[in-house]
Amino acid sequence: QVQLVESGGGLVQAGASLRLSCATSGLTMRPYAMGWFRQAPGKEREFVAAITWDSGRILYADSVKGRFTISRDNAKNTVLLQMNSLKAEDTAVYYCARGVYSYRVALTSEPRDFGPWGQGTQVTVSA
């Protein structure tokens, strides 16, 4: 059974930090890029960050650059998202997903280039 399970979300005040974790099972993570996306109420799912299979390249949305850090541990089949200096506008459900193409050098921010997806974890930042 393919599973991506996000954890680490919660309710925090602006300026605080959270670390999201995505544990994968039932699928091969190592050869694929991994990404984090988020979706706020009434808005479309948006790209947050992505990392290539070998951690050689990382891509961030402009809105999180300098505050969020994506990393992965292929041995543990886990991808992390460290979120610092959180803002109210970071409030959303955060999803992790595996890239569609294996050993791809280039990174994409398009949701259609990712799948399968986890169920998401809620992050709420109070102003």
Side-chain angles (χ1 to χ4, degrees), residues 101-115:
Y101 307 106
S102 62
Y103 298 114
R104 195 174 192 183
V105 176
L107 282 172
T108 175
S109 61
E110 295 294 331
R112 64 173 179 265
D113 291 330
F114 288 86

Side-chain angles (χ1 to χ4, degrees), residues 44-66:
E44 294 186 352
R45 189 168 298 189
E46 66 171 357
F47 171 76
V48 175
I51 186 169
T52 52
W53 67 277
D54 61 349
S55 302
R57 290 191 178 189
I58 290 175
L59 181 66
Y60 294 105
D62 288 343
S63 59
V64 307
K65 202 172 293 183

Side-chain angles (χ1 to χ4, degrees), residues 2-4 6 22 24-29 31-37 45 50 95-102 104 108-119:
V2 173
Q3 282 191 312
L4 294 88
E6 302 92 339
C22 174
T24 69
S25 62
L27 56 78
T28 302
M29 189 186 96
Y32 296 88
M34 296 295 295
W36 285 96
F37 291 76
R45 189 168 298 189
Y95 300 89
C96 72
R98 191 187 74 172
V100 172
Y101 307 106
S102 62
R104 195 174 192 183
T108 175
S109 61
E110 295 294 331
R112 64 173 179 265
D113 291 330
F114 288 86
W117 296 78
Q119 293 300 306

